[in-house]
Amino acid sequence: MHAARNGFEFYKQIQADDGHWAGAYGGPLFLIPGLVIGMYVMGISLRPEQKIEMIRYLLRKRRKEGGWGLHTAAPPTTFGTVMNYVSLRILGLSPDMPVMAETRAWIHKMDIPLGYLYGRKFKGPLTPLVEAIRSEIYIQPYDTIDFSQHRNNIHPVDIYNPHHPILDVLNSVLATYEHCAFPPLRRKGLEAAYKLVVYEDENTGYQTVGPVSKMLNMVCRFAEEGAESEAFQQHLGKIDDFLWMSEEGLMMTGTNGSQLWDIAFISQALVETGLAEEEANQTSCLKALDWLDKAQIRDDPKWYNEAYRHRSKGAWPFSTPEQSYTVSDCAGEGMKAVLALQSLSYTPKAVVEQRLKDCADLLLTMQNPNGGFASYELVRGSCKLEWLNTAEVFGDIMIEYTYPDRTLRKAIQYVHNVQKPDGSWHGSWGICFTYATMFALESLSLAGETYNNSASVRKACEFLVKHQMEDGGWGETYMASLLHL
Ligand SMILES: *[C@@H]1O[C@H](CO)[C@@H](O)[C@H](O)[C@H]1NC(C)=O
Ligand SMILES: *[C@@H]1O[C@H](CO)[C@@H](O)[C@H](O)[C@H]1NC(C)=O
Ligand SMILES: *[C@@H]1O[C@H](CO)[C@@H](O)[C@H](O)[C@H]1NC(C)=O
């Protein structure tokens, strides 16, 4: 109880006026390049203070080996390093700076062929800066490189998810077809693709499913409709939603924050610990409930049929409702938080029963024939589609995968088996000991294991108490994770 009270002492300092708790949602190192290169291609400049803070962030995140990886805790790859080198050049660093020369040396050591954006052959202006960068990152003159010969030529450090041989063959076939593409067919293909881009923009309030596609969609809209168009202006207006000023500089985040995800757990904890009932905390809980009330997605996306989207009416989102994607666990946690807060004596029951039913109905539509739930939609295809996964840096992305729910006893056994000697669990996404421990403990408590009757839970609680910081919060850093290893 003392720890919980301490924890809330920390949170109460940082609750935003509208009731949510804001937090950095960073980590990936391939987001800033999309923004910086995309803006450059479209001839738009970032503000000087944004440039300075992004430079600071990227230099802070550069690894001592000489480059950048896919995320802040990963060793450098040629992809991450080249993309961030180009970003820094566009942001204004001179190629003569020692840090840039060192990075270049690292790149040349890797002898890279670069992947490239394809499609409608839209090109940004060939400026002196672009020509300079070309001569800096390639070891042979740019015009002498036949890029189509290099589609399957990836440096081993970059290939997290190796190509399937079918993809290699397909790449060669498509490279050949490119020389004799049938114009009417190409036109039809481009039209169909552009329509999907427009649907996605309009369904998500110009945020799209994530920051990588956001910048690609924005460049598409610029190429097709120009800088004066309504669509392009809408896109431009949403850029700041993806930026977060951290103590290490300005970063681009994975979505417009993780608002719902954070508020849902904080609210549940406040109710479970009894802190929510204490007079002094009631305003804070009322604000949180108000935020949750406004955050529920009330309708399906406008183009939900046309854009092959799963329905979203009734869901709680991962960040804010405007983006409109259903995520099964966010919907579940959002509903749990509302139920918890609305069970308090003093809260208004603003989220009426019908709205809770909408959420339950939605969750039921997300269960797959095998009993499991995935994240954004039902499993819609065969896992053989992974053979066509071109991403190289991500595996298991072509279809949805379900997470176990039927084999409850086996799952609990698994949770026990993977507990670490210090009482914690290791999360598979990033470095997440306290985070994974939270979910593991929730599972164990659902199976009836508590501090009173389970040695494993006791050990985990001791782990959490031991790692609470002086200000009352819990954190997680890469250095902290090394202490665990
Ligand atoms: C992004 O998040 C902030 C903070 O929660 C919110 O004020 C803003 O409206 C959000 N933007 C969008 C486009 O959802
Ligand atoms: C919540 O209540 C506790 C105990 O009364 C108090 O220490 C704490 O400051 C309160 N939190 C807020 C946000 O007022
Ligand atoms: C745990 O055990 C203590 C002492 O035996 C008891 O007072 C407490 O109510 C128990 N808590 C739970 C959640 O069972």
Side-chain angles (χ1 to χ4, degrees):
M1 194 56 210
H2 178 67
R5 194 176 293 279
N6 255 342
F8 197 52
E9 267 320 300
F10 168 75
Y11 273 127
K12 82 172 189 199
Q13 322 281 341
I14 57 171
Q15 187 175 22
D17 274 346
D18 68 358
H20 85 287
W21 281 270
Y25 178 41
L29 282 173
F30 50 85
L31 303 182
I32 287 183
L35 176 72
V36 170
I37 296 170
M39 297 289 260
Y40 185 76
V41 167
M42 297 182 285
I44 310 162
S45 188
L46 290 158
R47 297 193 291 275
E49 64 274 17
Q50 290 180 320
K51 290 188 188 172
I52 289 171
E53 288 297 340
M54 271 181 197
I55 292 172
R56 186 159 76 89
Y57 180 74
L58 289 181
L59 292 181
R60 287 290 292 261
K61 295 299 174 195
R62 183 169 166 268
R63 304 268 299 200
K64 60 179 185 314
E65 297 95 319
W68 293 265
L70 270 188
H71 56 84
T72 51
T77 59
T78 47
F79 174 70
T81 305
V82 170
M83 294 296 267
N84 284 297
Y85 177 89
V86 172
S87 303
L88 284 172
R89 288 286 283 117
I90 295 174
L91 288 169
L93 290 198
S94 140
D96 307 327
M97 288 178 64
V99 58
M100 296 300 269
E102 264 173 42
T103 307
R104 225 162 33 241
W106 191 91
I107 295 173
H108 293 167
K109 212 174 65 198
M110 308 302 282
D111 185 13
I112 41 118
L114 240 196
Y116 57 96
L117 185 77
Y118 220 60
R120 136 188 172 147
K121 311 265 153 73
F122 171 76
K123 283 185 186 152
L126 184 56
T127 59
L129 176 62
V130 172
E131 300 211 38
I133 293 174
R134 284 179 176 178
S135 70
E136 288 160 30
I137 59 181
Y138 295 109
I139 46 182
Q140 74 188 80
Y142 182 84
D143 295 328
T144 67
I145 306 173
D146 179 359
F147 285 97
S148 68
Q149 294 304 305
H150 291 293
R151 290 187 175 191
N152 302 324
N153 186 3
I154 320 292
H155 196 281
V157 304
D158 280 61
I159 195 98
Y160 171 78
N161 187 59
H163 287 191
H164 191 277
I166 290 186
L167 179 62
D168 285 352
V169 171
L170 211 61
N171 272 342
S172 313
V173 173
L174 289 175
T176 311
Y177 173 72
E178 205 50 41
H179 297 298
C180 55
F182 183 49
L185 192 62
R186 173 57 52 103
R187 215 171 318 116
K188 274 250 166 321
L190 285 174
E191 272 167 25
Y194 193 70
K195 244 192 225 157
L196 288 174
V197 167
V198 174
Y199 291 150
E200 169 76 348
D201 281 349
E202 295 186 1
N203 278 342
T204 60
Y206 295 83
Q207 298 178 79
T208 85
V209 70
V212 172
S213 55
K214 192 232 163 18
M215 288 314 296
L216 293 175
N217 276 24
M218 186 171 169
V219 176
C220 291
R221 301 304 294 264
F222 174 85
E224 188 71 27
E225 299 177 43
E228 300 308 320
S229 66
E230 167 71 17
F232 179 76
Q233 292 300 323
Q234 286 286 345
H235 259 297
L236 202 53
K238 294 295 161 64
I239 292 221
D240 283 359
D241 291 293
F242 286 92
L243 300 180
W244 177 266
M245 185 64 201
S246 73
E247 68 273 26
E248 295 177 297
L250 187 63
M251 56 167 135
M252 190 174 195
T253 58
T255 57
N256 178 27
S258 50
Q259 290 87 327
L260 179 281
W261 198 235
D262 299 328
I263 200 172
F265 292 116
I266 295 171
S267 306
Q268 291 174 50
L270 283 174
V271 175
E272 269 171 38
T273 53
L275 283 170
E277 290 286 7
E278 292 179 10
E279 185 105 28
N281 295 330
Q282 296 190 356
T283 325
S284 173
C285 293
L286 286 168
K287 274 190 172 175
L289 179 56
D290 181 54
W291 193 94
L292 285 162
D293 173 19
K294 293 182 179 135
Q296 189 180 19
I297 302 173
R298 307 292 283 274
D299 283 302
D300 292 329
K302 181 173 168 198
W303 304 109
Y304 104 98
N305 258 326
E306 295 83 347
Y308 311 102
R309 283 274 304 272
H310 196 89
R311 41 179 289 207
S312 55
K313 180 174 178 186
W316 271 273
F318 173 69
S319 55
T320 56
E322 217 179 331
Q323 191 245 20
S324 92
Y325 267 95
T326 297
V327 193
S328 59
D329 50 3
C330 300
E333 297 295 346
M335 179 158 70
K336 278 159 66 187
V338 168
L339 286 169
L341 288 169
Q342 294 197 159
S343 74
L344 300 169
S345 55
Y346 61 89
T347 48
K349 316 306 170 209
V351 182
V352 295
E353 193 174 304
Q354 185 53 50
R355 286 172 59 190
L356 294 166
K357 283 184 180 163
D358 287 345
C359 185
D361 287 345
L362 174 80
L363 286 172
L364 291 173
T365 67
M366 298 197 79
Q367 190 170 33
N368 287 287
N370 72 359
F373 287 81
S375 46
Y376 283 81
E377 61 189 23
L378 292 167
V379 179
R380 295 182 181 180
S382 151
C383 57
K384 295 204 172 66
L385 285 168
E386 292 302 338
W387 294 354
L388 305 182
N389 177 355
T390 57
E392 289 152 18
V393 295
F394 296 111
D396 293 346
I397 57 168
M398 298 297 282
I399 57 165
E400 279 274 23
Y401 293 87
T402 59
Y403 307 98
D405 77 331
R406 276 201 299 190
T407 46
L408 201 58
R409 216 175 26 179
K410 258 169 95 183
I412 294 292
Q413 192 52 48
Y414 171 79
V415 172
H416 280 298
N417 291 346
V418 296
Q419 186 174 26
K420 300 168 82 75
D422 65 3
S424 71
W425 281 267
H426 180 250
S428 313
W429 172 251
I431 310 142
C432 313
F433 293 97
T434 53
Y435 191 60
T437 302
M438 176 177 92
F439 289 107
L441 280 178
E442 190 175 352
S443 304
L444 292 181
S445 83
L446 288 174
E449 292 191 33
T450 65
Y451 190 83
N452 276 5
N453 64 19
S454 159
S456 158
V457 171
R458 269 195 299 280
K459 220 158 79 175
C461 292
E462 275 149 28
F463 171 85
L464 288 177
V465 170
K466 208 168 88 198
H467 287 83
Q468 187 172 28
M469 303 200 293
E470 251 167 48
D471 60 10
W474 277 267
E476 209 127 47
T477 62
Y478 185 61
M479 286 320 287
S481 83
L482 291 179
L483 299 177
H484 284 270
L485 299 177

